[in-house]
Amino acid sequence: MTRRVYIETYGCQMNVADSELMSGILADSGFATADNERDADVILINTCAIREKAEDRIFGRLGWLKPLKMERPELVLGVTGCMAEHLRDQLASKTPYVDVIAGPDAYRRLPALIEQATRDDSAMIDVRLDREELYAGQRSQRARGVSGFVTIMRGCDKFCTFCIVPYVRGRERSLPPDLVVSEVRELAEQGFKEVVLLGQTVSSYAVDGVSFAELLRRVHAVDGIERVRFTSPYPTDFDDELLQTLAELPKIGRHLHLPVQSGSTRVLEDMRRQYSAEQFLELALRVRREMPEFGISTDIIVGYPGEDEQDFEKTLELSRTVEFDSAFMFKYSERSMTAAARKRPDDVPEAVKSERLSRLIALQNESSRKRHARLVGQHVDVLVDGVNPRDEAQPKGRSSCFKSTMLDLSSSSRHGAATDGAALALAPGQLVRARVEGSATHTLFAVPL
Ligand code: 5AD
């Protein structure tokens, strides 16, 4: 009988892409897809290890799944990805009902691991990291949609002191340019309109003499792809060639995710980021000046070991100066194995971390609100990807500068743009020009032209 797999994904976009990869591998081995955990013969939880909270959540989720496993002992329950790599021993001891523990480089062996787990009572553990594994030539099974991920780099060699990624995803390696382009072509043939190139530090891409800028040009040339995005670049890789390429290629999304982490040069040095606050500011302000249509988002950590009030105020000041369009903001979470965990006590009290995070979020909300409000009256190109969950008559999508945008069809007919409701229906995948009529902290409201 065909066995059905249900994969649940936690964490970043790369994990979403990895889940699609696992789906492809398992489909090629004869597994079918289950729509939910109840209908599944195999449940895989693809996990994140970036902060302790992410791991706590997964232990919680496993607790919820335990009764299912007790009811149906033949069910195979697997934990895959970063937390499987990081907490293999804890998983084996704290959740002994888990059958498979597979790290990010073990996915090709998943069918065999699941097979073995069916026959054997003890957990199958495969957390071998592999310097070469890029899953080249392995088809991913993607949900139909507008936007498709292509992982161009795996692992990371930057070794920022706070970050667990190099330990759980291994050393940096990149997919050769021809393979990147052929994957993008396949996406286009399958009807995807947008491609998102993924990697820990995509802008450091350099394979066979092909720079990231050159890779973008090649991807940009693929017919059928209307928009190209990438995440995340590293702030020191922005040479003139890359900036010029971004500015010149019209299908590149007008958005940069530039993780700054801190506004204090002292803290940045301790983190082993390779730039000062001033250098980051120079880059961000150059983008604002030369490419004003670009949105800039960032990641910030508060409460890194030794961060004092002055350091934190520098972060606030930098945020205020750049006026990020949006930001992911986190309290520092000590991760075992990292340099920070080895050399620095996690000495900022939890209450101080929380207080700093609230102040930062308040400032960021103000910035986001202003950046969104600035677009009112302007035209944006929206790639439709679904409907407004609060009003299903309203299509929604992303502007090129990556702002979530609700499209008001009723007022577009009022404005005489069209009169026939049916002609107005916008399907996912359509790229429409719209005039921004209103804004909120995280959303634009626009009327198709
Ligand atoms: N604690 C808190 N945040 C972290 N990040 C990475 N490691 C940690 C950590 N130990 C954040 C960084 C990174 C984002 C993906 O997660 O801001 O850019």
Side-chain angles (χ1 to χ4, degrees), residues 50-51 162-164 259 261 299-301 330-335:
I50 199 85
R51 282 168 293 275
F162 52 81
C163 186
I164 198 169
Q261 313 299 358
D299 292 343
I300 299 175
I301 297 174
F330 312 103
K331 291 190 255 186
Y332 173 72
S333 166
E334 186 176 275
R335 307 281 64 210

Side-chain angles (χ1 to χ4, degrees), residues 64-340:
W64 277 98
L65 290 171
K66 183 179 175 185
L68 263 189
K69 175 74 192 168
M70 298 298 120
E71 261 170 52
R72 293 165 46 208
E74 73 285 3
L75 177 74
V76 174
L77 177 58
V79 177
T80 66
C82 295
M83 177 187 172
E85 190 70 40
H86 179 218
L87 295 184
R88 56 191 85 157
D89 299 331
Q90 260 197 59
L91 280 164
S93 61
K94 269 174 81 168
T95 54
Y97 50 89
V98 167
D99 304 292
V100 172
I101 298 173
D105 290 343
Y107 299 152
R108 286 188 197 270
R109 298 182 291 279
L110 268 179
L113 291 165
I114 291 168
E115 204 46 57
Q116 278 172 298
T118 319
R119 284 187 264 109
D120 198 315
D121 265 354
S122 55
M124 296 299 127
I125 304 182
D126 187 339
V127 289
R128 197 165 76 223
L129 289 176
D130 180 340
R131 278 168 180 268
E132 312 275 301
E133 184 59 276
L134 281 156
Y135 297 102
Q138 173 57 53
R139 164 188 91 81
S140 286
Q141 182 166 281
R142 297 176 171 93
R144 271 180 182 285
V146 173
S147 190
F149 296 124
V150 174
T151 302
I152 65 165
M153 266 174 142
R154 299 185 70 88
C156 189
D157 281 350
K158 290 275 196 277
F159 287 93
C160 302
T161 56
F162 52 81
C163 186
I164 198 169
V165 168
Y167 305 94
V168 292
R169 284 189 166 271
R171 304 310 297 268
E172 179 185 301
R173 57 230 118 109
S174 301
L175 198 63
D178 294 351
L179 292 178
V180 174
V181 171
S182 63
E183 267 208 56
V184 174
R185 276 208 197 99
E186 266 168 46
L187 283 178
E189 279 158 19
Q190 291 162 15
F192 287 91
K193 297 295 172 200
E194 176 178 87
V195 62
V196 187
L197 306 179
L198 296 180
Q200 300 300 330
T201 58
V202 281
S203 49
S204 319
Y205 183 94
V207 182
D208 306 339
V210 174
S211 65
F212 184 59
E214 173 60 22
L215 185 74
L216 283 176
R217 285 193 285 272
R218 294 188 190 183
V219 167
H220 191 270
V222 173
D223 279 338
I225 294 295
E226 309 269 8
R227 194 176 272 171
V228 180
R229 298 191 180 284
F230 53 88
T231 199
S232 294
Y234 191 81
T236 56
D237 295 322
F238 285 82
D239 53 10
D240 291 347
E241 189 206 2
L242 181 52
L243 284 169
Q244 221 163 40
T245 304
L246 296 177
E248 279 169 15
L249 298 182
K251 295 196 288 186
I252 303 265
R254 299 346 247 169
H255 169 242
L256 280 176
H257 183 65
L258 286 177
V260 65
Q261 313 299 358
S262 168
S264 157
T265 297
R266 194 191 67 73
V267 171
L268 289 169
E269 269 171 16
D270 202 275
M271 289 175 163
R272 263 190 245 143
R273 300 291 287 182
Q274 296 160 13
Y275 52 87
S276 63
E278 292 68 31
Q279 284 165 323
F280 182 92
L281 202 58
E282 199 180 297
L283 170 65
L285 295 181
R286 181 172 175 198
V287 172
R288 288 283 191 234
R289 201 169 54 240
E290 295 175 11
M291 302 143 81
E293 74 282 20
F294 271 66
I296 305 180
S297 57
T298 197
D299 292 343
I300 299 175
I301 297 174
V302 302
Y304 178 80
E307 181 192 74
D308 61 21
E309 178 61 24
Q310 266 186 329
D311 293 317
F312 175 65
E313 275 167 21
K314 287 179 182 154
T315 299
L316 291 178
E317 195 186 309
L318 181 138
S319 295
R320 207 174 288 121
T321 310
V322 176
E323 208 171 74
F324 293 110
D325 294 75
S326 63
F328 297 103
M329 296 159 281
F330 312 103
K331 291 190 255 186
Y332 173 72
S333 166
E334 186 176 275
R335 307 281 64 210
S336 60
M337 302 188 278
T338 60

